[in-house]
Amino acid sequence: MTAPDGTLPLEGLLVADFSRVLAGPLATMTLADLGATVIKVERPGTGDDTRSWGPPFSATGSTYFESVNRNKQSLCLDLGDDGDLRLARELARRADVLVENFKPGGMARLGLGYQELSAENPGLIYASISGFGSAGGAGLMGYDFVVQALGGLMSITGEQDGPAMKAGVALVDVLTAKDATLGILAALTARHRDGRGAHLEVNLLSSLQGALANQAQAYLGAGVVPRRMGNDHPSIAPYQLLNCADGPLAVACGNDAQFGRLASLLGLDALAEAERFSTNSARVAHREELTRHLETALATDTAAAWQQAFTSAGIPAGRVSGIDEGISYAEELGLNPTIEVQDASGSTVGRQVRHPITWTPAFPTPTQAPPALGEHSDRLREWLDS
């Protein structure tokens, strides 16, 4: 909850962000959205890799970079320069939280490892993000696409007879960011109790495997290695895309009562009463036949019409929408999915997806646009030298 005076939940917290690309920057942006002061350390001249990733580009830069770097201050430091390295150490000495995604051991070689920094700053929460951990995978480069392949996600994504496919967003990076944020907040809570900092290690492969949920447990608990099934669900039916007169509709019947309502709505009451369709397990076993019956009935109207009818009947269903339509739908539902961000002068320079948590009582959400490279360097250098 917010503080009694209405300040932001993490106001007063200083975060030193030595990360780049997606997982680390998303974690630190989450902290910034909640009120933390985040100082993003970048290489002079080039900055975060994603500043050059495009198209697409907005009027102010790479949309990739902008998606995970709002509400931050940019400080350019050359860590190969003794003077700049001294400033980096001073920043770490003053910080409550440090987030880095150098190759394991990289920060330590610069004198910025946890052991050295915690000796001067024992309350420091130090989060290290890597691709494959600091043991046997320390030398491996961690890219989301490769981790999706090696970790098994691609093996269960795509059509049954088609090639393995990645998710449509860098999902492993996003999951890792959320794990890192969760760990940081837990460590801060523990520090409030005992005054001690902590070193957290988060890696993409472990975050992916932690998110495989029922698919991983199918193997660990029953020896079943999941496979690609397209849009079908391994354990539920119908829980898939079904073709209507003009396109597909996502239908998710999570229990027998929902399926009964679905069958009745489609004029297929006898289907729900037939032994081979009367239970979920039976429907999974006879999925292909069930799909034929359902799609024959659905072919009589459009996906939009069926979505409305199913929703009214309490059957989860939705058309396949573009991201633009998804944002519009969230707006229709009153979820306020976006915020406007402003530059230093207070002028609106763009729109972004907001932090997804809604708070009561509310607090004034920070809306600072992602920083230009080195935008705050002069002021921050002066502060660190003081």
Side-chain angles (χ1 to χ4, degrees):
M1 58 185 296
T2 56
D5 60 359
T7 56
L8 282 69
L10 299 182
E11 191 162 323
L13 195 76
L14 177 60
V15 178
D17 184 1
F18 286 82
S19 69
R20 58 195 184 278
V21 186
L22 181 51
L26 177 55
T28 55
M29 187 179 78
T30 301
L31 301 176
D33 282 348
L34 296 175
T37 296
V38 176
I39 297 176
K40 182 177 180 68
V41 177
E42 300 190 74
R43 293 169 295 186
T46 56
D48 190 312
D49 299 349
T50 59
R51 285 188 181 272
S52 64
W53 285 11
F57 293 98
S58 71
T60 51
S62 161
T63 58
Y64 200 116
F65 174 83
E66 291 173 347
S67 71
V68 290
N69 284 290
R70 67 171 172 255
N71 295 322
K72 301 181 185 180
Q73 301 176 43
S74 175
L75 169 63
C76 285
L77 293 177
D78 178 0
L79 299 183
D81 176 85
D82 288 343
D84 280 9
L85 185 57
R86 179 185 62 80
L87 293 179
R89 289 174 179 154
E90 178 61 19
L91 174 61
R93 189 185 69 79
R94 300 184 187 190
D96 296 285
V97 176
L98 185 150
V99 178
E100 61 93 7
N101 63 351
F102 282 56
K103 279 188 177 180
M107 288 283 278
R109 284 190 288 273
L110 293 168
L112 295 169
Y114 175 69
Q115 294 302 325
E116 183 169 353
L117 295 180
S118 63
E120 292 190 49
N121 183 1
L124 179 65
I125 309 301
Y126 190 109
S128 296
I129 299 174
S130 65
F132 301 93
S134 60
L140 301 176
M141 298 179 70
Y143 281 82
D144 177 281
F145 181 54
V146 175
V147 177
Q148 287 197 39
L150 289 171
L153 181 58
M154 287 176 66
S155 75
I156 57 172
T157 306
E159 295 297 331
Q160 180 175 344
D161 299 324
M165 298 290 290
K166 69 177 181 66
V169 70
L171 184 62
V172 181
D173 276 327
V174 173
L175 292 167
T176 304
K178 291 184 179 293
D179 285 344
T181 304
L182 175 64
I184 289 167
L185 295 176
L188 287 167
T189 300
R191 188 182 74 173
H192 181 72
R193 182 181 62 243
D194 57 32
R196 294 196 300 268
H199 185 196
L200 314 177
E201 293 191 60
V202 188
N203 69 81
L204 272 64
L205 182 58
S206 293
S207 286
L208 168 58
Q209 290 173 332
L212 288 174
N214 59 299
Q215 296 285 52
Q217 195 58 32
Y219 165 64
L220 295 173
V224 174
V225 179
R227 56 183 175 83
R228 290 189 297 283
M229 298 182 65
N231 289 303
D232 292 346
H233 193 289
S235 306
I236 311 172
Y239 198 103
Q240 62 201 87
L241 285 184
L242 294 169
N243 290 316
C244 302
D246 63 343
L249 182 73
V251 177
C253 284
N255 55 55
D256 293 340
Q258 289 176 350
F259 178 68
R261 293 197 296 273
L262 169 65
S264 178
L265 185 64
L266 295 178
L268 300 173
D269 295 275
L271 209 64
E273 298 169 1
E275 184 176 350
R276 64 190 185 283
F277 301 127
S278 60
T279 66
N280 177 69
S281 296
R283 292 192 294 275
V284 170
H286 297 90
R287 187 198 313 271
E288 291 185 7
E289 182 185 355
L290 175 63
T291 299
R292 288 195 298 271
H293 286 293
L294 297 178
E295 290 189 333
T296 297
L298 290 169
T300 60
D301 213 335
T302 65
W306 284 122
Q307 175 184 325
Q308 184 175 2
F310 284 17
T311 301
S312 297
I315 304 162
R319 294 180 301 113
V320 177
S321 302
I323 289 175
D324 55 340
E325 295 173 300
I327 290 175
S328 295
Y329 184 55
E331 290 172 341
E332 292 173 14
L333 296 176
L335 297 178
N336 302 316
T338 65
I339 59 169
E340 292 183 339
V341 293
Q342 289 80 36
D343 61 16
S345 71
S347 299
T348 297
V349 294
R351 195 163 63 117
Q352 295 191 348
V353 174
R354 71 170 177 88
H355 182 77
I357 299 175
T358 299
W359 292 69
T360 302
F363 54 82
T365 305
T367 57
Q368 178 184 324
L373 179 60
E375 179 179 343
H376 308 91
S377 287
D378 291 345
R379 177 174 56 77
L380 290 172
R381 284 173 174 274
E382 182 179 351
W383 172 67
L384 291 170
D385 265 328
S386 62

